[in-house]
Amino acid sequence: MNKKAIFFDRDGVLNEDDGYVHSMDRLRWVKGAREAAGRLTKEGWLLFVVTNQSGVARGYYGEEDVVRLHQAMNEEFGKYGGRITEFFYCPHLPGAPVSRYDKVCSCRKPAPGMILKAVS
């Protein structure tokens, strides 16, 4: 069965891109984003977020912070009838100060890895 899906970037699309947002106290929503997610969810769309999170690779915050933020964002979307089906993030960055994230990968946008994972 074919399902319809929408892929969103996170920073600058769903929330204002204020630089390395990693907690709800730093998040400012883009006007209408929560309402749009609610409407699209009610219309039967699967909603996915694909986001580069180089702040992890830079050591500004951890992957657990990204996961917590995404859970909190989904709770907020729920207040508007919305639901992100799944969040995907890439913590990698070539030349990263945190060595385990210093790599070229297939998930860092513009590479399609996160989208390919979502549709598989």
Side-chain angles (χ1 to χ4, degrees):
M1 178 169 74
N2 290 332
K3 295 184 179 186
K4 51 190 181 176
I6 296 176
F7 292 84
F8 294 104
D9 189 5
R10 194 189 81 183
D11 302 324
V13 175
L14 299 174
N15 60 278
E16 298 292 339
D17 189 356
D18 291 332
Y20 306 107
V21 175
H22 62 281
S23 61
M24 284 301 285
D25 65 324
R26 295 206 45 218
L27 186 134
R28 290 184 310 120
W29 292 101
V30 166
K31 184 179 179 182
R34 292 171 289 183
E35 296 85 354
R39 187 179 73 249
L40 292 166
T41 299
K42 290 172 188 169
E43 291 175 4
W45 291 87
L46 300 177
L47 307 181
F48 295 95
V49 172
V50 291
T51 178
N52 290 337
Q53 291 299 305
S54 69
V56 173
R58 297 172 195 275
Y60 298 160
Y61 48 89
E63 289 191 64
E64 64 280 354
D65 297 308
V66 176
V67 171
R68 270 195 301 274
L69 175 59
H70 291 166
Q71 290 169 342
M73 289 175 75
N74 227 1
E75 288 173 17
E76 187 68 18
F77 284 124
K79 295 175 184 176
Y80 294 81
R83 180 179 177 282
I84 301 299
T85 305
E86 193 164 355
F87 286 84
F88 294 92
Y89 69 93
C90 174
H92 307 115
L93 179 68
V98 179
S99 61
R100 73 175 184 254
Y101 299 114
D102 176 9
K103 69 180 201 174
V104 175
C105 65
S106 64
C107 61
R108 183 169 177 75
K109 294 181 302 174
M114 289 185 280
I115 293 172
L116 294 173
K117 187 174 181 182
V119 299
S120 64

